[in-house]
């Protein structure tokens, strides 16, 4: 029972950070004028939403539930995604990409903290590893766009 509490708490934290990412990407998509980035951001927003849904199924299996669709308390802290708000107000793609990089790194750090206890999450460890890998790949792609944009602006 104690194990289920830890599992549900950690899964809720991951769901919150995924929802923060979904919201951040959706906001970034609404703000950028680049069609290429708009499509990329919408793709990652949908991916984060799907990841959250996958984790909600595991959360339910451990007796928890998450009705949260828009991030969490960690979001107040982690809303580095909402540093995106500042970046968005500038409407500069470079600032938006920088804020997204910070948000994605926060997500990876959260996944790493959970993955440090593989025995606790044995029934869904592969799912967590797959999602973490996808977020890492997204971060790499965002960094590539950011570097490309910075080189153009030099």
């Amino acid at each position: 029972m104690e194990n289920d509490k830890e599992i549900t708490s950690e899964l809720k934290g991951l769901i919150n950070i995924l929802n923060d990412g979904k919201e951040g990407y959706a906001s970034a998509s609404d703000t950028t004028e680049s069609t290429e980035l708009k499509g990329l951001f919408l793709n990652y927003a949908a991916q984060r939403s799907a990841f959250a849904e996958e984790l909600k199924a595991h959360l339910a299996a451990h007796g928890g539930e998450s009705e949260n669709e828009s991030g969490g308390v960690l979001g107040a802290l982690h809303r580095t995604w909402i540093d995106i708000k500042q970046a968005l107000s500038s409407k500069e793609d470079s600032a938006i990409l920088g804020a997204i990089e910070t948000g994605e790194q926060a997500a990876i750090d959260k996944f790493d903290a959970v993955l440090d206890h593989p025995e606790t999450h044995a029934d869904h460890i592969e799912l967590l590893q797959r999602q973490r890998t996808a977020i890492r790949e997204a971060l790499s792609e965002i960094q590539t766009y950011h570097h490309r944009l910075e080189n153009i602006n030099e």
Side-chain angles (χ1 to χ4, degrees):
M1 193 64 169
E2 189 60 38
N3 198 26
D4 274 346
K5 283 185 181 180
E6 181 182 350
I7 292 169
T8 58
S9 173
E10 289 182 342
L11 288 177
K12 282 181 182 181
L14 292 175
I15 290 166
N16 287 340
I17 210 158
L18 289 167
N19 284 329
D20 284 342
K22 175 186 73 174
E23 297 289 321
Y25 275 121
S27 296
S29 171
D30 290 343
T31 303
T32 186
E33 293 180 17
S34 163
T35 7
E36 185 178 13
L37 288 177
K38 204 176 273 292
L40 182 73
F41 296 157
L42 286 174
N43 180 45
Y44 286 136
Q47 182 188 60
R48 295 305 176 276
S49 181
F51 285 176
E53 290 304 313
E54 289 175 333
L55 289 184
K56 283 179 188 179
H58 285 276
L59 181 62
H62 289 280
E65 61 181 74
S66 175
E67 298 303 318
N68 181 4
E69 297 299 322
S70 60
V73 178
L74 188 69
L77 219 176
H78 162 261
R79 281 251 205 242
T80 331
W81 282 106
I82 294 320
D83 280 349
I84 288 185
K85 276 192 176 174
Q86 287 181 323
L88 296 178
S89 65
S90 74
K91 289 197 178 247
E92 288 184 25
D93 288 341
S94 182
I96 294 168
L97 290 166
I100 289 173
E101 285 177 33
T102 305
E104 291 291 54
Q105 188 57 58
I108 289 168
D109 292 345
K110 181 74 175 164
F111 270 82
D112 286 348
V114 172
L115 288 167
D116 277 346
H117 308 286
E119 65 288 346
T120 305
H121 298 280
D123 68 324
H124 49 265
I125 196 77
E126 288 178 15
L127 172 64
L128 297 177
Q129 290 169 333
R130 179 179 54 78
Q131 289 185 354
R132 190 237 182 249
T133 298
I135 293 168
R136 180 68 198 115
E137 289 168 355
L139 175 58
S140 293
E141 187 169 13
I142 294 297
Q143 289 170 327
T144 299
Y145 274 94
H146 196 185
H147 291 308
R148 191 178 335 148
L149 196 58
E150 285 180 339
N151 289 337
I152 290 171
N153 293 333
E154 286 181 357

